[in-house]
Amino acid sequence: MKHFTKILTAAAVSMMVALPAHAETTITVHYPMPGFFKDVMDTISKKFMEENPDIKIQFANPSATYEEGIQTIMRQVGTAEMPDVTFIGLNRLRMADERNIPVDMGPMIAKDKQSMADQGFSDTILKLAQVNGKQVGLAFATSNPIMYYNADLVKAAGGDPDQPPKTWDEVIALGKKIKALGNGVDSIDFRWQGDDWMFSALLFGAGGTMLSADETQVAFNGPEGQKAMGMIDRLVKEAGMPVFTKAAGEQAFVAGKVGFAFQTTGALRNTIKNVGDKFDLRTAPIPLIDPVKGKLPTGGNAVVILTHDETKQAAAWKFAKFAAGPYGASVIVPGTGYVPNNELAAKSPEYLGDFYKKNPLFLAGLNQMPRMIPWYAFPGANGVRVTQTIVDNISRVVDQSASPQEALDDAAKEVKRLLPRTN
């Protein structure tokens, strides 16, 4: 009997050695725009797994853009390829929710309400990832459009780099002088390609909206939209803005061949790295067509839970809070240029409290935060096609194949057709 007991004891010890000390839950995470987010995601996931050794993060193949990302997720819903967690562009959360794709985080937040408040998740921040009051995600990366400029070219053209343009008229006047410098130098790169975000910067900056309040009528072709599209036309005609592709515009600016670039503050870290010491890089707020009523679209994305498996969902919720929490924000801001989406991270010396004092190029986006409003999400199933319609018609103005009014009218007609039908 004693011998049998020894055998059982030895077997038990052997099993304890053979089995891991904890059960490991693996969650698959998908994200877009690896050029911006790969290093950030690697850093956040590594730290998360160190603090949560029972959870393993594995990444699905990232998508090149927000648009590709949401279409990938919609194709994968209900299949074995669908990830447990994804990061969706803020303007596509509505599209995902209308298809009942995201898990409602409301009950999870209610359960963790005090701890989340202590971690800097204010009601204002939570609302960035709500759709009709439903918490479909947690804002992960938030941005606004800023002005990047080459201080050397500004100075060569007779401008004062310490007093950058505050109005679009001043931008155009100085851009024209920079263009006149010759030697392959261009004036402006306005990042209109890909989606409607930078058009929104002009439209919202003029005090306009995409649709009417009841979302039954197109509104972007009204007076504010005319000013917005007219401004793009002026950038081409008066300041000599070329027809850049997204990549070509970025390459020309970091090579020191463009005076002004207007795009997301999220590209700041990459721009700093790519410019190096080739020229004196500066940043400033983007001008508003209406400095009183003007607003700016909030770009970026939110972390969304897709899995309905209870064990994975619990792990995914831990990861979502960590990624969108103060540690995640302290990685995102210096690693990209996005503005902090977490109040604790923004204020605490432990995270970003001293960062902006040491990195003044990041202040432009931070100072514009009071102007930020949601990036508009079109209703219905055709959101991606609506966005492409707007981009296609902006392209016609940039290449001067259509007048601003023609482009607006054509875009409005097509968007109206693509909106959900109302009885």
Side-chain angles (χ1 to χ4, degrees), residues 209-268:
T209 59
M210 284 291 189
L211 300 184
S212 60
D214 63 2
E215 298 189 316
T216 62
Q217 301 296 322
V218 172
F220 64 72
N221 61 335
E224 297 86 1
Q226 291 166 7
K227 291 176 183 177
M229 196 69 87
M231 189 59 67
I232 294 174
D233 189 52
R234 288 185 63 196
L235 292 176
V236 176
K237 287 179 177 175
E238 297 178 37
M241 182 174 76
V243 184
F244 278 134
T245 63
K246 181 177 181 295
E250 182 176 299
Q251 290 165 9
F253 181 76
V254 301
K257 294 296 185 178
V258 175
F260 296 97
F262 296 90
Q263 68 151 322
T264 174
T265 186
L268 181 53

Side-chain angles (χ1 to χ4, degrees), residues 67 88-98 128 130-132 136 196-197 200 204 209-213 215 297-298 373-384 386-387 390 415 419-420:
E67 307 303 307
I88 296 178
L90 294 176
N91 70 323
R92 295 299 176 221
L93 292 176
R94 180 176 185 172
M95 178 185 291
D97 185 59
E98 287 177 347
L128 287 174
Q130 291 177 0
V131 175
N132 297 323
V136 299
D196 59 21
W197 194 61
S200 295
F204 297 174
T209 59
M210 284 291 189
L211 300 184
S212 60
E215 298 189 316
T298 302
I373 60 174
W375 184 2
Y376 184 71
F378 287 92
N382 294 318
V384 174
V386 166
T387 295
I390 294 172
V415 169
L419 290 176

Side-chain angles (χ1 to χ4, degrees), residues 30-50:
H30 165 267
Y31 64 91
M33 298 168 62
F36 282 3
F37 294 116
K38 184 184 184 303
D39 291 346
V40 165
M41 290 293 182
D42 288 347
T43 301
I44 291 173
S45 63
K46 181 180 178 182
K47 179 70 170 176
F48 176 77
M49 287 187 287
E50 287 175 0

Side-chain angles (χ1 to χ4, degrees), residues 13 28 40 48 61 95 110 126 134 148 150 155 168 207 214 232 238 241 274 278 287 330 335 364 397 408:
V13 170
T28 303
V40 165
F48 176 77
N61 289 332
M95 178 185 291
L126 291 174
K134 176 182 174 182
Y148 298 74
N150 183 325
K155 189 174 182 179
W168 283 110
D214 63 2
I232 294 174
E238 297 178 37
M241 182 174 76
N274 292 332
K278 289 194 285 289
S330 73
V397 174
L408 277 176

Side-chain angles (χ1 to χ4, degrees), residues 36-164:
F36 282 3
F37 294 116
K38 184 184 184 303
D39 291 346
V40 165
M41 290 293 182
D42 288 347
T43 301
I44 291 173
S45 63
K46 181 180 178 182
K47 179 70 170 176
F48 176 77
M49 287 187 287
E50 287 175 0
E51 295 187 9
N52 297 271
D54 58 330
I55 302 173
K56 180 182 178 183
I57 304 297
Q58 66 178 18
F59 289 111
N61 289 332
S63 299
T65 65
Y66 289 142
E67 307 303 307
E68 288 183 24
I70 186 61
Q71 292 184 74
T72 295
I73 294 302
M74 288 193 296
R75 286 195 303 270
Q76 293 177 343
V77 170
T79 71
E81 286 75 33
M82 185 182 78
D84 302 306
V85 173
T86 188
F87 290 77
I88 296 178
L90 294 176
N91 70 323
R92 295 299 176 221
L93 292 176
R94 180 176 185 172
M95 178 185 291
D97 185 59
E98 287 177 347
R99 289 160 178 75
N100 204 31
I101 295 173
V103 171
D104 184 3
M105 292 183 177
M108 304 174 193
I109 290 173
K111 186 177 178 182
D112 296 349
K113 192 170 183 64
Q114 187 55 53
S115 66
M116 291 195 70
D118 293 342
Q119 289 296 298
F121 290 96
S122 67
D123 288 341
T124 300
I125 287 166
L126 291 174
K127 285 178 181 177
L128 287 174
Q130 291 177 0
V131 175
N132 297 323
K134 176 182 174 182
Q135 196 74 45
V136 299
L138 295 176
F140 172 70
T142 50
S143 66
N144 56 59
I146 64 171
M147 176 169 72
Y148 298 74
Y149 63 101
N150 183 325
D152 296 344
L153 291 180
V154 166
K155 189 174 182 179
D160 181 355
D162 296 325
Q163 298 293 327

Side-chain angles (χ1 to χ4, degrees), residues 358-371:
K358 300 175 182 177
N359 297 274
L361 290 179
F362 289 75
L363 282 171
L366 183 72
N367 292 339
Q368 291 183 151
M369 287 185 73
R371 294 277 189 176

